[in-house]
Amino acid sequence: DGGITQSPKYLFRKEGQNVTLSCEQNLNHDAMYWYRQDPGQGLRLIYYSQIVNDFQKGDIAEGYSVSREKKESFPLTVTSAQKNPTAFYLCASSTGLRNEQYFGPGTRLTVT
Amino acid sequence: GDSVTQMEGPVTLSEEAFLTINCTYTATGYPSLFWYVQYPGEGLQLLLKATKADDKGSNKGFEATYRKETTSFHLEKGSVQVSDSAVYFCALSLSGGSYIPTFGRGTSLIVHP
């Protein structure tokens, strides 16, 4: 079955540590995205990538980094510079303009 | 810029009640319009979509009609179930430019037995 996988589902880290969230898709989609969702809030775009080896900052990129070395993979690193990293992180992909996005199941990150 | 405005929630209904969640948009071109649903603790799933004016998207008893004259895409369902309790997001996507869709803030729906 085609889809997007995110791992792990739950992640716990100590403050000051970097952490990488995985996102893999086998839909052959060109575009991939990372969103952050806080309780009762909508989606906020962190980074997006339209093609391999290229990515752009979204609305809240500070404290995050990404890479796009393969079409299928778009990992997100939450660095120690991110002031409030505890949140639900969603990865998505899409193909072509005007088309819908496919979302992964999300990773809930808790930093203490 | 482009934007999507949804009615604030939560919307609280009894089972079998009629549902309307309002969505209006502002866009510089002719967008595709989407409704996504997010169940607790999960990612978003596409519920329905419409790509041009007067199109009606439908799925699982939900419907929405693309109204260009009122720039709206309201979500409706004739008889809601407890299992419909979720957060619903309206979104738009434009051709040309970047691939970034624009989402509304989401509307929480709570259905009581």
Side-chain angles (χ1 to χ4, degrees):
Chain A
D1 284 338
I4 299 183
T5 57
Q6 291 185 243
S7 59
K9 180 74 172 173
Y10 299 94
L11 193 51
F12 298 89
R13 281 293 183 270
K14 295 290 188 184
E15 199 171 311
Q17 293 179 336
N18 291 353
V19 59
T20 297
L21 282 59
S22 168
C23 177
E24 303 278 333
Q25 55 100 356
N26 61 4
L27 300 167
N28 200 34
H29 287 175
D30 289 316
M32 296 187 75
Y33 313 78
W34 274 106
Y35 294 93
R36 169 179 172 141
Q37 190 175 32
D38 294 285
Q41 302 292 313
L43 303 177
R44 290 190 288 171
L45 183 66
I46 304 172
Y47 270 97
Y48 67 102
S49 168
Q50 297 183 23
I51 56 173
V52 174
N53 293 322
D54 187 47
F55 48 83
Q56 287 77 40
K57 294 181 180 180
D59 301 319
I60 57 165
E62 186 175 348
Y64 299 97
S65 66
V66 293
S67 63
R68 186 85 186 276
E69 296 176 1
K70 299 186 299 182
K71 189 175 186 178
E72 303 80 23
S73 178
F74 192 42
L76 173 74
T77 296
V78 184
T79 75
S80 57
Q82 168 49 233
K83 291 183 172 51
N84 296 297
T86 294
F88 189 52
Y89 290 88
L90 287 163
C91 181
S93 70
S94 71
T95 181
L97 299 168
R98 300 176 65 84
N99 289 339
E100 65 268 26
Q101 289 183 306
Y102 291 76
F103 284 82
T107 291
R108 188 166 299 281
L109 173 65
T110 302
V111 176
T112 57
Chain B
D2 305 324
S3 66
V4 174
T5 303
Q6 292 181 232
M7 60 189 291
E8 294 222 4
V11 173
T12 304
L13 295 172
S14 297
E15 205 165 25
E16 299 183 3
F18 185 87
L19 168 71
T20 300
I21 300 178
N22 290 338
C23 171
T24 57
Y25 67 90
T26 303
T28 51
Y30 298 99
S32 292
L33 300 172
F34 309 90
W35 276 103
Y36 291 87
V37 59
Q38 184 180 32
Y39 298 103
E42 299 183 7
L44 280 69
Q45 306 172 24
L46 179 69
L47 181 59
L48 53 84
K49 69 177 182 180
T51 58
K52 61 183 188 298
D54 300 325
D55 269 2
K56 178 186 282 188
S58 62
N59 186 24
K60 299 181 182 179
F62 291 90
E63 292 182 341
T65 301
Y66 189 142
R67 301 284 187 202
K68 184 181 165 193
E69 63 276 12
T70 54
T71 62
S72 65
F73 193 54
H74 305 321
L75 183 68
E76 297 182 336
K77 187 175 185 184
S79 176
V80 294
Q81 306 300 311
V82 172
S83 58
D84 294 325
S85 299
V87 180
Y88 293 82
F89 291 90
C90 185
L92 68 82
S93 181
L94 282 161
S95 58
S98 73
Y99 283 63
I100 307 174
T102 300
F103 283 85
R105 293 175 61 86
T107 302
S108 175
L109 171 65
I110 302 169
V111 181
H112 294 293

